[in-house]
Amino acid sequence: LKLTLLLCGFTGLAQPKYFIFEEKGRLGLVDLQGKTVLAPTFNSIKEKQPYFFACSKGKGCWVYNENLQLVLKGAYNSIELGCEGQFIVEKNGKYGVVSEKGAVILPLKYSEINSNKNGYTVTLNEKMGLFNSEGKEIIPISYRWIYTDEIDDNIPIVARLNGKEGYINTKNEWVIPPTYRDAFAFRQGVAIVKKGRNYMCINLKGEAVIQDFDNYVIEPSDNTYIVGVRKECKYMVYDLNGNLLDTYDGFINNWSGNGIFGVKKGGKWGYIDGYGKVIIPLEYEEVGNFSEGLAAVRKDGKWGYINLKNEVVIPIEFTNKEVGYFKNGGAEYYTDRGAGLINLKGEIIAEPKYNSIEYVRENVAIVLFDDYYYLYDFVKEKKLKRLEEIRIEEAPIADEPRCN
């Protein structure tokens, strides 16, 4: 089963209101009816909800909110989203941070700035440091690499010194010595590190809790309290103390962040939750990710959709080549004739006659015609607006190791 990932204007979970389109080499925005709401005068437009970032060479950049109200304007070459209510700005190769009101948080002098939950890693003269969202220095600019998901006195920070990585605290003291080839952020009290060819997990004391695995497939998060690793052609699920919970033959990488993972054993697929507990028995031939409360499953060669109680919501009767995940209340399904759409009741709302189709809302979808993507009314069969060039990523969502 392959799924088509999000198109332009589909970032985040909210239903899209505006779409980026191209006209004579310039970009603008249109609404759901194809009406121009932001004239095509920009060289680039990017969306990061709830903002649109629009830039024009020689004129600067503008930031608009979700209602297309101007939030920030400046003579910058680029603008990106920073911490809440703040933006990373760039001019002539130098980066800084400003607030929505234009107040300077960090001056335009750094060669690179990246944001985390409540602060920024900055690079200057090939050295890195850490500042909070108020512009206060937390870690001086003195390391070759530094990273954390968030600034917290109880969460160690990855730092690199003399080619090795370890962990420091917010007082700039080493709490786990720099002995690793690679080190990753602490999450739920564990971190993945690498010394030689293989990875291992350590706790806050630097003690190994899971050792010698090839790769990791589940990292702890706000709703996930397990670690999933690949080792010797198997997928092993551990709790945060390093206790083995179960071993599987296949695994589905969860892109939705809902803490539900597809697993395979004995040729059948099912699901586990963020604690490693089996919540849907392993009884299906193939499964997809849960989205909008439903997941595609295949049984006896046919596809349908189940909910988190393993109840069949859309009958398992589709004999199509494949089906997609739900987005905005619609999902793609594929036949030899092409791709169409079904709704959450399993009703066909667009016949399978398109090369590619992504549901938006009501009677509108994004459809591919002659190598171009259009905002399209599939009931009236009317092209509303040609959109900017879109890159579609298609990748298997089920992962099974290849073993010799």
Side-chain angles (χ1 to χ4, degrees):
L1 177 62
K2 292 186 178 182
L3 298 182
T4 303
L5 302 184
L6 308 186
L7 303 176
C8 74
F10 278 62
T11 55
L13 296 178
Q15 288 190 340
K17 293 173 61 176
Y18 306 112
F19 305 85
I20 304 168
F21 76 99
E22 181 180 355
E23 188 174 287
K24 297 180 180 179
R26 301 291 184 182
L27 300 179
L29 293 176
V30 294
D31 63 14
L32 193 64
Q33 288 73 42
K35 178 183 176 182
T36 299
V37 293
L38 191 64
T41 60
F42 302 97
N43 297 101
S44 69
I45 297 180
K46 296 180 180 180
E47 181 191 8
K48 187 70 173 179
Q49 286 188 2
Y51 300 104
F52 285 95
F53 302 89
C55 295
S56 182
K57 290 181 180 179
K59 295 183 180 180
C61 295
W62 292 256
V63 179
Y64 297 90
N65 65 18
E66 57 189 354
N67 297 316
L68 292 189
Q69 296 170 324
L70 184 63
V71 174
L72 180 69
K73 177 182 178 182
Y76 305 113
N77 300 122
S78 67
I79 301 181
E80 298 179 4
L81 186 63
C83 296
E84 184 176 359
Q86 297 178 353
F87 305 99
I88 300 171
V89 295
E90 179 266 328
K91 184 177 182 180
N92 299 326
K94 300 296 182 182
Y95 291 82
V97 176
V98 299
S99 70
E100 284 188 346
K101 297 181 179 180
V104 175
I105 308 298
L106 293 173
L108 276 165
K109 70 175 187 178
Y110 301 99
S111 54
E112 187 175 359
I113 296 180
N114 291 290
S115 63
N116 55 45
K117 185 176 180 180
N118 58 350
Y120 300 92
T121 54
V122 304
T123 304
L124 183 65
N125 299 324
E126 299 183 350
K127 299 285 186 177
M128 296 184 69
L130 183 66
F131 290 75
N132 66 17
S133 59
E134 296 176 353
K136 178 184 176 181
E137 182 184 85
I138 304 299
I139 303 297
I141 302 174
S142 56
Y143 295 95
R144 297 291 293 182
W145 171 254
I146 195 168
Y147 180 78
T148 184
D149 288 341
E150 63 177 305
I151 301 171
D152 187 307
D153 291 341
N154 298 312
I155 301 177
I157 301 162
V158 180
R160 180 184 298 159
L161 185 67
N162 299 325
K164 296 291 184 178
E165 296 184 2
Y167 296 87
I168 58 176
N169 60 21
T170 53
K171 296 179 181 179
N172 197 26
E173 301 166 333
W174 287 102
V175 292
I176 299 176
T179 61
Y180 304 107
R181 174 181 167 184
D182 293 298
F184 300 86
F186 268 94
R187 291 165 185 162
Q188 296 291 0
V190 298
I192 296 168
V193 296
K194 188 175 187 180
K195 272 194 172 181
R197 295 180 59 184
N198 291 335
Y199 295 91
M200 64 180 179
C201 281
I202 60 173
N203 60 21
L204 291 167
K205 296 179 181 180
E207 300 167 335
V209 293
I210 306 171
Q211 298 200 51
D212 296 330
F213 53 91
D214 306 328
N215 209 337
Y216 53 92
V217 292
I218 303 176
E219 285 191 88
S221 66
D222 291 341
N223 59 7
T224 302
Y225 304 90
I226 53 177
V227 178
V229 306
R230 189 180 67 196
K231 183 178 181 180
E232 297 176 353
C233 290
K234 295 290 183 179
Y235 292 95
M236 300 178 178
V237 177
Y238 295 84
D239 66 19
L240 298 180
N241 293 316
N243 299 308
L244 180 64
L245 301 179
D246 214 332
T247 301
Y248 299 99
D249 304 317
F251 172 80
I252 290 182
N253 188 24
N254 186 328
W255 47 262
S256 61
N258 57 16
I260 303 168
F261 306 90
V263 291
K264 181 182 182 183
K265 183 187 288 189
K268 297 294 184 180
W269 288 88
Y271 295 89
I272 61 174
D273 64 13
Y275 292 91
K277 178 184 177 182
V278 175
I279 57 172
I280 292 178
L282 282 66
E283 61 186 34
Y284 297 103
E285 297 163 1
E286 202 165 354
V287 296
N289 263 304
F290 270 91
S291 178
E292 299 189 357
L294 300 181
V297 296
R298 185 165 66 92
K299 200 170 190 178
D300 298 327
K302 298 180 180 180
W303 287 97
Y305 289 83
I306 60 172
N307 62 19
L308 285 167
K309 296 180 180 179
N310 199 27
E311 298 169 337
V312 176
V313 177
I314 297 176
I316 303 175
E317 58 186 22
F318 287 90
T319 57
N320 312 312
K321 296 190 297 182
E322 53 187 303
V323 294
Y325 61 91
F326 276 94
K327 181 71 178 171
N328 300 320
E332 311 93 71
Y333 74 103
Y334 303 86
T335 70
D336 292 334
R337 292 187 293 148
L341 292 173
I342 58 174
N343 63 19
L344 288 164
K345 297 179 180 179
E347 300 167 336
I348 295 174
I349 57 176
E351 293 295 328
K353 58 183 180 180
Y354 304 99
N355 291 326
S356 175
I357 185 168
E358 289 280 352
Y359 186 64
V360 177
R361 196 168 72 218
E362 299 171 4
N363 299 330
V364 178
I366 293 178
V367 177
L368 176 66
F369 292 103
D370 300 324
D371 297 327
Y372 293 103
Y373 288 92
Y374 290 83
L375 201 61
Y376 184 75
D377 187 322
F378 54 81
V379 173
K380 296 180 179 179
E381 297 188 345
K382 179 182 178 182
K383 296 176 182 177
L384 302 176
K385 198 73 174 180
R386 175 181 155 185
L387 303 178
E388 71 164 336
E389 183 178 350
I390 302 170
R391 179 173 61 89
I392 296 180
E393 298 180 25
E394 292 187 351
I397 58 173
D399 187 14
E400 298 179 58
R402 296 180 180 180
C403 305
N404 295 322

